[in-house]
Amino acid sequence: MDRRKVEEGIFRVLMVLATGLILSSLVMILLTVLVKGLPYLSLEMVTQTPRGGYYLGKGGGILNAIIGSLYLAGGATLLAILFSLPVALYLNVYSRPDARFVSVCRLAFDVLNGVPSIVFGAFGFTLMIYFGLRASLLGGIIAIALLILPMLIRAMDEVIRLVPRELMDASYALGATRWETALRVVTRQALPGILTAVLIAFGRGIGDAAAVIFTAGFTDAVPTSLLRPAATLPLAIFFQLGVPVPEVQGRAYASALILTLLILIISVAARRLSRRLTRHVVK
Amino acid sequence: MKRLKLFPISRRAKDLLAGKLMLLLTILAALLVLLMVAGLYLKSRPVLASQPLAELLFSTKWRPFRGQFGFFPFIMGTLWVTGVAVLIAVPLCLLTAIYLSEYAPARVREWVKPLIDILAGIPSVVFGVWGMLVVVPFIKDSVAPFFKVFSTGYSILAGGIVLAIMIFPVIIHVALEVFRAVPQEVREASLAVGATRWQTVKHVVLRKALPGVAAAIVLGIARAFGETMAVLMVVGNVAKVPGNVLDPAYPLPALIANNYGEMLSIPLYDSALMLAALILLLVILLFNLLSRAVLARVERSIR
């Protein structure tokens, strides 16, 4: 037989195997979390805060962490939108597309996007000390906002870049200023993509642990103010796993299942949403 | 009449004002990296002043209570875990990326890509939970006995396996972009002179894409370097220079995350941890800049 054909065959098999292995790692992770977490999942878990002795196996749930994570990621996402949308609009509407400034900025955001969350956590912590803040919901929001800022900017930049030039020219021809064009034409046209980016950033904010470990603290109560510490789901999982009581570890698995489901729902919603909203966009 | 004339001016003023504000925000955001370097550097100055840099980097003595901060075990821990992860991930990711870009039917590709996106979205704590439940016992009960050594399972290998899965999406994503940038004509030319598909991949596509593939791998390494929670949960966290992959290790990110509680009560400790963050940040910045420069060139070459 032809040696070339044998080599072709071998590598083809290897490639399919590699792809299969990578996909099965995803399936394995999801299945493990499902199988281990499901027996411990109960209504109590998601509707109650930890009661006395929760970490010894007594009653209660992780509502504090669920609410804490939602507040934290929600606040951080809002804060990050306030900064990222203007930046993405500036790069695409106000500056010339071939300007050196634009490519330098894009490089800066790409690089920033590669910075790990623990470093954002450490930097957030130095900021907090500088401003005299304690570990609090606000501190966590700032750290997570910094973390998701570069990915939001880059994602918004990508979708806004796809807005047809002619559409903007048409708007200018009608006498609109760049600001009006940016706000009423470009943003509206790119809205589906922007919302997808926002949802993905929100999911990332919920799932991140390393950035909040210094900055948000942890508490068994649902946070009532920005200056109080806030529990987060990833840290709740982490702390429960560290307790050598089987019941509590089981709840850690259930918490991991809740977190995973939350993330999956958000990412499916992001996909759906973008598909639905695209119908109203000028093609 | 007057009103009509004034109106456009105020609109233009609004336009200019918005532009200036947005420019300011853009510059601020772009400078954030430098701000982070500066902030962490300021915080790590006390520990940098307390002992020479070489000693900080290459001493194995980690005794915070005596003011001795030798990062060498942690740096080695990071290198080992990252190394194992990259060794596992690179061949698998390249084969997958080649399959998806050169072989797979469009339908398969449309199915696989969103799944890889989902993998990328899974929180690192969940990877850690999976590692503790599956990888650690597997190493303890199967791998270590096979090599006739004792291991708790919490080891570099466990960290490397979990980390490899976490960097799959990064490497595959970038590699796919790079392969897509290779012009279709080159492939056709190769096939036209009688090369098989694999030969075309090996001699033409891979050769053309080599710098980009290297950049993809470097981005994967950079991601692996800073990954914290998942690794922290399975790697054992023992502050000793590891000797083999079944030893536990204590990577830099885990060091930072694990000691946030004590760091304010011991002098110089917080400064030392911020130095650890600074080291991570600088290495990752360097890797990112390098690979982005290469990728930018790849992108330009196809225009």
Side-chain angles (χ1 to χ4, degrees):
Chain A
M1 210 169 134
D2 191 352
R3 237 193 69 204
R4 299 190 319 167
K5 285 231 172 93
V6 177
E7 201 182 316
E8 174 90 36
I10 291 174
F11 273 96
R12 199 179 270 239
V13 170
L14 281 180
M15 278 183 240
V16 175
L17 278 180
T19 311
L21 197 67
I22 285 176
L23 292 183
S24 61
S25 65
L26 171 67
V27 175
M28 221 163 33
I29 290 166
L30 295 180
L31 271 183
T32 307
V33 172
L34 186 69
V35 169
K36 284 281 186 176
L38 206 53
Y40 291 93
L41 197 60
S42 63
L43 203 59
E44 204 187 351
M45 283 285 299
V46 292
T47 54
Q48 291 187 18
T49 53
R51 283 197 229 135
Y54 175 78
Y55 297 100
L56 299 169
K58 297 237 178 77
I62 50 155
L63 185 68
N64 60 327
I66 297 175
I67 302 278
S69 267
L70 290 177
Y71 279 175
L72 198 89
T77 311
L78 284 181
L79 191 61
I81 293 173
L82 281 183
F83 283 83
S84 54
L85 188 59
V87 171
L89 286 175
Y90 187 83
L91 291 182
N92 289 288
V93 182
Y94 274 79
S95 0
R96 274 182 294 119
D98 54 343
R100 201 178 167 73
F101 176 71
V102 174
S103 49
V104 169
C105 282
R106 287 204 172 113
L107 176 70
F109 300 135
D110 272 336
V111 168
L112 194 61
N113 204 3
V115 173
S117 62
I118 186 80
V119 174
F120 280 104
F123 178 67
F125 184 72
T126 65
L127 277 186
M128 279 167 50
I129 292 188
Y130 186 78
F131 290 111
L133 272 171
R134 291 177 154 273
S136 59
L137 186 57
L138 183 63
I141 286 178
I142 292 172
I144 294 285
L146 289 174
L147 171 76
I148 59 178
L149 181 70
M151 60 175 294
L152 260 182
I153 291 178
R154 283 306 273 133
M156 287 185 183
D157 182 31
E158 290 290 321
V159 286
I160 289 178
R161 220 206 287 203
L162 292 179
V163 172
R165 209 77 211 163
E166 295 83 5
L167 208 62
M168 287 159 70
D169 289 341
S171 165
Y172 296 143
L174 290 172
T177 61
R178 286 174 300 182
W179 171 241
E180 289 159 354
T181 308
L183 213 60
R184 301 202 190 131
V185 178
V186 177
T187 305
R188 183 166 297 180
Q189 175 78 7
L191 198 61
I194 291 176
L195 284 178
T196 308
V198 165
L199 273 179
I200 291 172
F202 180 66
R204 173 104 179 254
I206 287 183
D208 195 82
V212 294
I213 199 162
F214 304 112
T215 49
F218 199 85
T219 167
D220 282 349
V222 172
T224 49
S225 122
L226 276 176
L227 297 175
R228 291 270 180 81
T232 46
L233 259 176
L235 288 184
I237 297 168
F238 182 64
F239 291 141
Q240 291 178 93
L241 271 178
V243 179
V245 178
E247 180 70 24
V248 180
Q249 294 201 347
R251 287 194 198 133
Y253 305 147
S255 315
L257 178 60
I258 294 171
L259 176 61
T260 310
L261 287 177
L262 214 57
I263 298 287
L264 286 181
I265 290 171
I266 290 169
S267 80
V268 170
R271 260 164 228 290
R272 277 285 168 85
L273 195 71
S274 79
R275 213 175 300 151
R276 263 184 78 175
L277 287 171
T278 333
R279 287 187 314 201
H280 306 294
V281 161
V282 184
K283 288 262 167 64
Chain B
M1 202 59 198
K2 220 173 183 182
R3 227 185 113 77
L4 266 177
K5 240 186 164 180
L6 264 172
F7 190 50
I9 295 172
S10 82
R11 276 176 60 211
R12 190 173 302 158
K14 213 172 175 184
D15 179 59
L16 281 177
L17 188 68
K20 290 272 181 287
L21 257 171
M22 283 153 83
L23 175 64
L24 189 71
L25 283 181
T26 308
I27 292 175
L28 257 177
L31 287 181
L32 190 56
V33 190
L34 296 181
L35 250 160
M36 290 175 78
V37 173
L40 290 176
Y41 173 70
L42 282 179
K43 275 281 160 192
S44 48
R45 254 196 344 199
V47 76
L48 282 170
S50 77
Q51 46 205 298
L53 184 62
E55 203 179 308
L56 285 169
L57 292 180
F58 298 113
S59 158
T60 55
K61 292 196 185 79
W62 181 260
R63 293 183 195 120
F65 284 102
R66 292 193 208 159
Q68 290 174 319
F69 299 98
F71 282 107
F72 194 63
F74 306 99
I75 293 172
M76 287 313 282
T78 300
L79 291 180
W80 272 85
V81 176
T82 306
V84 171
V86 170
L87 278 182
I88 299 172
V90 165
L92 289 174
C93 290
L94 285 189
L95 284 168
T96 303
I98 293 172
Y99 177 70
L100 289 179
S101 102
E102 310 293 321
Y103 285 83
R107 215 160 32 99
V108 173
R109 214 173 322 161
E110 295 312 302
W111 259 96
V112 173
K113 273 190 181 169
L115 289 178
I116 291 177
D117 284 346
I118 290 180
L119 189 64
I122 292 181
S124 67
V125 174
V126 175
F127 280 100
V129 170
W130 175 75
M132 284 173 85
L133 284 171
V134 178
V135 182
V136 167
F138 172 70
I139 289 171
K140 182 185 170 201
D141 301 331
S142 307
V143 179
F146 182 78
F147 290 104
K148 303 206 164 43
V149 288
F150 172 77
S151 166
T152 54
Y154 291 92
S155 57
I156 291 172
L157 185 60
I161 292 175
V162 171
L163 202 48
I165 299 178
M166 298 184 73
I167 62 174
F168 282 162
V170 186
I171 302 182
I172 293 177
H173 189 80
V174 182
L176 276 178
E177 302 252 303
V178 171
F179 287 143
R180 209 176 49 190
V182 176
Q184 199 58 37
E185 294 84 13
V186 213
R187 293 188 182 92
E188 279 157 13
S190 162
L191 292 171
V193 294
T196 62
R197 250 166 148 184
W198 174 249
Q199 279 179 316
T200 305
V201 168
K202 197 166 64 169
H203 297 297
V204 180
V205 179
L206 271 183
R207 178 165 304 173
K208 255 204 114 61
L210 204 60
V213 169
I217 294 171
V218 171
L219 280 181
I221 295 176
R223 174 62 56 85
F225 238 73
E227 181 44 52
T228 311
M229 291 312 277
V231 179
L232 159 88
M233 288 161 80
V234 298
V235 85
N237 302 328
V238 177
K240 259 173 59 182
V241 178
N244 65 63
V245 293
L246 291 174
D247 278 349
Y250 206 158
L252 279 172
L255 171 74
I256 305 171
N258 254 343
N259 294 291
Y260 71 103
E262 294 127 72
M263 77 180 166
L264 291 176
S265 49
I266 304 169
L268 284 183
Y269 203 178
D270 62 327
S271 179
L273 292 184
M274 292 305 147
L275 177 62
L278 181 64
I279 294 172
L280 272 181
L281 177 60
L282 289 178
V283 172
I284 286 165
L285 284 186
L286 180 71
F287 281 14
N288 267 285
L289 277 172
L290 277 178
S291 50
R292 289 295 166 193
V294 172
L295 287 174
R297 192 172 303 161
V298 170
E299 203 172 306
R300 231 174 298 137
S301 73
I302 55 164
R303 290 232 171 102

